[in-house]
Each structure stands twice: as structure tokens, then as C-alpha cells.
Amino acid sequence: MHGRPRKAYKPEEEAASAAKAAKLRALQSQFMSNHHNKIYTKEAVDLSTKLLEINPEAYTAWNYRKLAVEDKLSRIESDPDLIKTILDEELRVVESALSQNFKSYGAWHHRKWVLSKGHSSVGNELQLLNKFQKLDTRNFHAWNYRRFVVELTKRSEQDELKYTDDMIGSDFSNYSAWHNRSVLLSSLLARKADGFLPNKKIPDEYKLVQNAIFTDEDDQSGWFYHLWLLDQTVNVETPLLTSSWPSHGSRISLYAGCSNGSFSKLTTFGSESGYFPLVLNFDQAVGGVSSSTVTIDTELKGNEDLVWEPVSKKNSHVSCVWVARLKYISSEPCFGKEYKVKVKIGNSPGIVSSRGCNFSASYEFVFTAHVHDTVEESSQEGIVSWTDGFDIWDAESKDLNALTTLDRSNAQMDSKWRQEAIAEEIDLFRELPDSKIGKLTLARLLMAKAMISDDAVKGVHYNEILELYKDLMALDSSHYQYYKDVHSVALLRKVTSSTEDLSGHLFRCRNMNNSVCLRLNNLSLSRIASVEKLLFVQMLDLSHNELHSTEGLGGMQLLSCLNLSHNRIRSFSALDSLRHLKQLRVLDVSHNHIGEHSVDTTRYLCSSPLFNSEWTQDEVGRQMPTLVTKYWDAYFVLRDLNLKQLDITGNVIAGDVFSSFVLRVVPKLVWLDGKKLEI
């Protein structure tokens, strides 16, 4: 275990081990008989004591003792001395077991259970813990138990924080003490206890952990605590609204069906259903977004009680992205008119983060919707090309500035002390000799500073961050993929950090009504990020990258065309987030690895998520049960899309059988693998 080589037993050792095993089997046999027959005599309980002295991990023996104690307590009158005697015996047995195995889960849980019975010696537990923790200062069982005892004894968090001072002072490498310190400080900072304001306490904590890091650079304990401090510096507890679509002050052109004309260079939106999405993007997952917490003021009819839905996995009621669909086509004539739409959020309580913090900052954004006459609808006859008909964007475009509402969260947080604290850390870590962990921490610090800095200096930070991660990929191949992912995140944040950087990747597609196209191809991206700043994008080219999934794209509700060709996607399950994109009509996943690494679901109790589900009620499921079972991941994704063009060439899964399956699952498909279908 843990890299230690096995050694061959000597004959006398084998004999001793065999004798111990025989004794243990005999004890277990008699013990199990007592347990099954509910025998709780003194002799039977003593037998369980002997068993636990040999094997403290015998969970059934601990549970048996609980039943025996309950039986004894039920047979005696309320005699405090007798109750104390019974519970004292249990504590003695636990202490004996812990002396055999200090990391016995069953023993620690049993001791908790005894104390929960109201044992009067609870005050002695901290003294016992101090003795145990001197033997093993980092034992997480003891630290967990300590937190339990502290809660029972109502010992102050400040006193416990002082205890971590002592433990860290005697051993900088005590990860458990650092962890306990983070738990205590999280509570003290959250309730703003006396002397624990973030802008005062967090800078002091940086100084404490610096001593540990610069004393022993190779010890990980201090580095983990430093990472936690950085998270506390950058993030705020209360959720913030980071972006929305439509953005404040924007003008959008709405029309019914599909358009052959061009109403606007930037903000044209068409929908066959007569609805367009309202999108709210928060900096953390929240729940409670509804028509009572978000109010809409507009003359557009039929939008009195909007339904807000989270863009998240099924049965989840929290998400960073929430969407409502605003109706702009009704039975009453409304074409050729302009309508102001005012959205207010935060005026009524109810939006709460997954960590229990309320959304408290009220916000309001207003946009103008111009509803055009219905344009003659035409099904998608021509194939959408990713090479022809694109015009580059004007970096000075006023429309672009209106669409990209960047870094709204910065104005809603007190960033001065945060910037100063991070700047001091950056200066300090630049002096650290070159090392992997030093470069990684410097990159994280620079990323944090870029997130809360003005646009003018962000580009400089991101350039250095990208170089640091390139160095780390070369220095530390064992963590190459992690560095690659965070490099991708930094690159995308650089691209979206200003309209000047973003405009270099933006185009207008003449053949798609001047739709906004963002080209992020050939960037070696392995992960998607900064989607909250791209809510206005209608066409997205991510081809020739190293993506393994589309996680994060669910918030791009205007997306109608997506190019994922020449990536490293291995299954349709990796495309699950696309199910939220109701406007998606064109999808290219050609030349990936779909089908190369199929999962042998016959090894599992349920061969696929379709097992015992309602899929058999679906027409395709009834008519093609074998193919639906075989291609269940593709079925779950494709059935929720309304695609008109799909390309899957260059994948192992491609072929006549899968194509016939796709045609049944996506009945409105017009183009498949570059060929027009005969309808």
C-alpha cells in the first residue's frame, strides 16, 4: 500500500498470523450468533469488546454495541450514575480501539454516538484529543471529531482559530490545521465577526501563509491554503448578474419565420415560434428566478407570467444561466412597431445562490424591440458554408459596443483592497526562484488581477499568463492536460476582455441575414470559457481545436450554427449541453472521434439510461428499439434538437445504419453530411 513493497513472511510469522485468523473467525462466529439472536448479556458484550480489540474496523460489532446500550438504558430507571457507568464503558472501549488503529472510522463514529447521548464528560474530550493529536497532528479523523466536540461544547471559533495558530506554528506542513483554519475563517468572515472583515483579515492571512511557503517551498499545505485565500479575494459571496441578453440600451429587430433580407447588421433575430429568449447570466449558480423575482414591463402582449428555466441538468433548480421566452407575435397586429422592454431584477427577494446567499443588488436593463412584418418563410434550401460569405467586423462599431456588456460584476464589488492584496502577492512571487508551483501560483494571481482590473491593463496580464502556462506544459508533462485547459480559459478571457480583441474574431455572414459569427478556430482550445460575454453570437466556429465536450455552450441561446469539426469529441454525450439551444439549426461534428471508444454497457446493471425509461412511448423508440438502444447517447441529444443541417462524416460512427437512425430522430433534417435529402 502507498508504494511500500510487500515482504515475505517468515514461517513463525505465518503461523502467528494463522492462529490470529483462527481466533478471529471463532470470535466472529460466536459474535454473529449473539447479534442475530439479540443476546445482550455481559458475556456477549464482552465478546464484542474482544473482537474490537483485535479488529477495530468491525462495523457490525460497533452497531451491536449501540443496540446493547439502548437495551440496557431501556431496562433501568433514570439513574444518572448508572447511565454514566454504561456510557463510560463505551468510551473506554473506543479509546482502546483507537490505540490499536487511530484511523478507525467505526471507532470515531461510535464515540460521536456516545457523546450525542448527552454524556456528561464531553468537556474532557478536548483534552483527550490534544493527546491523540500530539501522536498524529494531521489525522483528519481527529480534526473532524474536534469540530464535532467544539460544536457540542459551544467553544468559540476564535479560540479554535488560536489553536490552529499553535498547530501551524509547530508544523507548517499540517494540512489538516490549514484546512480547519479555512473552515473557521469562512464562518467568521461570512458573519463579519468582530475583527474579521475581509479587507482586513485576508491580507493578514497572506502574510501568515507566506511564512510557510517560503520556509519550505516543496510542502503543499501552504500552497493549498494560499489558493483558498485567492478564491476568497476574488469571489464575493453574494451572487452578481454578470451579463444579459438583450444587453442594456440595445436595439433588436424581430421577425417571424426565416428571412431573406437584412434588417440590421447586428441585432436581427428570427424565430418560427414567435418567441425570443431573455437570458440572465450570474457569476454563480442561483435558484428562485421567476416572474415574481424578475419583472418585465412591455407592451408586447402575452408576457404577463413568463416562465424562467435554468440552463442546467435535468431536475436541477439552480443554474448560472436562466432563460425566459418573450412572445412577440400575437393574435393582435403588432408588426412594424417598436416596443420598449424593461427588465428589473433584485427588487423582490427570492433569488438565492446554491450556497444560501441572497441576490441583493437590484438591476434594471432596457432594450428596444422592433417587430417587422412577417417575411415569407423558406425552408433551408441552401447549405450553410463556413468558408464563403463572411465580412470582417468593424472594431469601432457602436453596435458591437452595445452588444458586449463586459465585466459588469466589477462595478458591483469593492475591488480596491482586492487589487492591492493581489498586487502585493504578485510582486512577492516574482522573486521566488523558478519552480512549477511558483509559476502556477503566479499565473493564478495574474489571472485574478486581470479579472478585477480595467480593460487597459488586461491584455498585458493575459499575455504573461499564457506564457506561464506554456512553460508549465513543457516543465510538467504529468499535468499537461490541466495546464492546457487553464491556458484555453486564459486565451478565451483575453479574446473577450475588450471589444478590440473580440472584433478580430467577429464576422458577419451575408448568407445568414448578417448573423453575428465568432471564429475561434485553430486556437488549440481544449475547454470553453467566457460564454457569458458571447450571448449575442449566432454562429460559432470552434473547428480545428482540441475540445472534448461542449460544456458551457448552453447559455448561448441565440446560437443557430455551430462548427465543431476536427476536434476530439468522443461521444454524443459530450454534446449534451446543446440540448438547451432551441435555435440551433446547423451542426458540424465531422472528423471527431465519435464511436472510436464506445462504452460496453452490458457490464452494468442498467445497460443504458434508456433502461426502464419512458423512451418506449416515443414513436422512434417503438419502431427502432435496437438502434435506439445502440445509439442511446445520440438519441438523447438529437431528439431535442431541431436541426436542418448535420455533418458527421469522418467519425467511426458514421455510416448507412447510423444515417438512417438520424433521419428518423431528426425528421426536419434537410442536409446530411453535405448532401441534400430527398423529401
Side-chain angles (χ1 to χ4, degrees), residues 236-243 280-284 286 289 293-295 343-353 357-365 408-414:
V236 293
E237 283 203 347
T238 55
L240 301 173
L241 182 69
T242 55
S243 61
L280 299 177
N281 196 299
F282 298 87
D283 68 331
Q284 56 188 281
V286 299
V289 179
T293 54
V294 181
T295 58
V343 181
K344 296 180 180 179
I345 177 173
N347 293 323
S348 300
I351 299 178
V352 182
S353 73
C357 298
N358 292 309
F359 179 86
S360 55
S362 60
Y363 188 79
E364 175 181 304
F365 62 94
R408 179 180 298 161
S409 61
N410 291 349
Q412 301 181 43
M413 61 187 290
D414 176 19

Side-chain angles (χ1 to χ4, degrees), residues 161 164 177-187 225 228 232:
L161 196 65
T164 65
W178 286 111
H179 171 69
N180 201 49
R181 189 173 186 84
S182 69
V183 172
L184 294 166
L185 275 177
S186 294
S187 174
Y225 189 72
W228 176 81
Q232 302 305 302

